[in-house]
Amino acid sequence: MKTDSERIKKAIDPCLSPCPIERGMRILGGKWKGSILWHLKDGPMRFNDLARQIGGASKKMVTQRLREMEDTGLVNRNVISTKPIAVAYEITDFGRTALRFLEELKKWAEEYNI
């Protein structure tokens, strides 16, 4: 930012494409994604068990978020059996890289009681 002689601020190098924070939020943003990753950090989990862990989220919403996360490479979907269908999800190495700052976000939220 630069302030001109009339004390008006002007951008010097405006970001014409999404900045790194915006790109990251496009991957991790959205309700429940952080919680889903957090609950998968200790190992694969069957869909129904995972959905129960995400209090307040409908199964439809969890399914939608998991599909988005699978498309971006944050989680893997594994079919355990076909009759009846049983599916488990696990965090990928890429998804695991987000846990570092999710831990910091958790600490921040706890520190400020938000």
Side-chain angles (χ1 to χ4, degrees):
M1 296 297 283
K2 181 179 179 183
T3 306
D4 66 14
S5 60
E6 296 173 9
R7 302 178 80 163
I8 298 173
K9 292 185 178 186
K10 297 188 183 216
I12 296 172
D13 284 325
C15 187
L16 301 176
S17 63
C19 71
I21 290 178
E22 179 60 31
R23 291 193 311 265
M25 290 303 295
R26 288 180 182 179
I27 300 293
L28 287 176
K31 203 168 184 180
W32 312 117
K33 286 184 179 180
S35 294
I36 289 169
L37 284 178
W38 191 258
H39 287 290
L40 292 175
K41 69 182 173 56
D42 295 325
M45 191 176 289
R46 291 174 67 149
F47 174 79
N48 284 329
D49 294 331
L50 179 59
R52 278 191 287 274
Q53 291 292 318
I54 313 296
S58 68
K59 285 186 176 185
K60 179 181 177 183
M61 181 57 67
V62 174
T63 297
Q64 181 180 344
R65 292 297 179 245
L66 283 165
R67 285 182 183 151
E68 292 169 5
M69 295 168 75
E70 187 179 9
D71 289 344
T72 57
L74 293 169
V75 299
N76 284 328
R77 178 181 186 268
N78 303 307
V79 177
I80 299 169
S81 67
T82 56
K83 292 188 181 182
I85 187 92
V87 176
Y89 289 88
E90 67 180 327
I91 192 170
T92 63
D93 290 339
F94 174 56
R96 199 164 289 286
T97 63
L99 294 176
R100 290 189 310 264
F101 53 85
L102 287 176
E103 175 65 33
E104 292 301 314
L105 181 62
K106 178 180 173 275
K107 288 177 187 175
W108 176 73
E110 289 171 346
E111 181 178 341
Y112 292 98
N113 297 314
I114 54 174

